[in-house]
Amino acid sequence: EIVLTQSPGTLSLSPGQRAILSCRASQSITSNYLAWYQQKPGQAPRLLIYGASTRATGIPDRFSGSGSGTDFTLTISRLGPEDFAVYYCQHAKAFGQGTKVEI
Amino acid sequence: DVQLVESGGGLVQPGDSLRLSCEASGFTFSRSWMTWVRQAPGKGLEWVANIKNDGREKYYEDFVQGRFTISRDNAKSSSYLQMNSLRVEDTAVYYCVKLEWLVLHWFFEFWGRGTLVTVSS
């Protein structure tokens, strides 16, 4: 069973800065089957990225995913005020514990 | 637009039962796998169960095996989660989610707003 570990737990940044979030798998993930989600307080999660690097419909291009094997990254190129949230990675039934991006 | 609307949550005592419902619209429900994902207060996301589009295959996380049952009614575009023998640790917001596949890659495409289940004596 794959375990996903996200780092850092919390990322403190300012609007306009770049955010780099990491997701590490306990074993290699087949064909980059990894997804990322954004969750704002009091809201349901929203799909951002699937297949490690494909943006979901309507997701701005400042969000990008990369990586392969056991190491994956979500990059937010320029943080907007609306991007401060918790981000989760997912593979099959496993979720990472989340990274909070805060001001 | 895709909409998933959950209902049926509430406050129950340990050992009680509860049935969650999810009404779907905006996509071809009968062609879609559906999922329930839960989130305990202040915690992360936890997959609960999947059901295939025709209802013939169901999968559960170990901690709910034998207590929870996922089902669906394609004529009503609805998915359900029957929860029996509820425990305090089942307290969570339960999300109804449309599952999507990319070859063997499954991910959670659309989420409902969730319904809160509180198990407390």
Side-chain angles (χ1 to χ4, degrees), chain A residues 7-93:
Chain A
S7 61
T10 302
L11 200 51
S12 299
L13 295 169
S14 300
Q17 288 190 298
R18 172 177 296 200
I20 299 175
L21 288 66
S22 172
C23 177
R24 177 162 290 179
S26 59
Q27 55 187 281
S28 185
I29 290 179
T30 306
S31 301
N32 300 334
Y33 291 158
L34 189 98
W36 290 93
Y37 304 84
Q38 175 194 66
Q39 186 178 32
K40 298 178 183 179
Q43 296 186 19
R46 177 176 69 149
L47 175 68
L48 296 176
I49 301 281
Y50 62 92
S53 61
T54 302
R55 277 187 299 277
T57 303
I59 301 304
D61 60 8
R62 65 178 181 274
F63 291 91
S64 62
S66 62
S68 64
T70 61
D71 291 301
F72 297 85
T73 299
L74 174 70
T75 301
I76 311 171
S77 58
R78 293 173 307 279
L79 281 165
E82 66 277 20
D83 299 334
F84 292 92
V86 179
Y87 293 84
Y88 295 94
C89 59
Q90 173 253 334
H91 168 72
K93 66 177 185 176

Side-chain angles (χ1 to χ4, degrees), chain A residues 1 32-35 37 39 43-47 50-52 88 90 92-93 95 97, chain B residues 37 39 43-47 61-62 95 102-109 111-113:
Chain A
E1 186 171 314
N32 300 334
Y33 291 158
L34 189 98
Y37 304 84
Q39 186 178 32
Q43 296 186 19
R46 177 176 69 149
L47 175 68
Y50 62 92
Y88 295 94
Q90 173 253 334
K93 66 177 185 176
F95 286 96
Q97 80 279 22
Chain B
V37 174
Q39 186 171 36
K43 302 297 184 182
L45 301 169
E46 195 170 45
W47 171 74
E61 181 55 283
D62 289 346
Y95 294 103
L102 176 66
V103 192
L104 296 179
H105 176 27
W106 48 280
F107 52 92
F108 307 107
E109 187 181 21
W111 299 64
R113 294 187 174 184

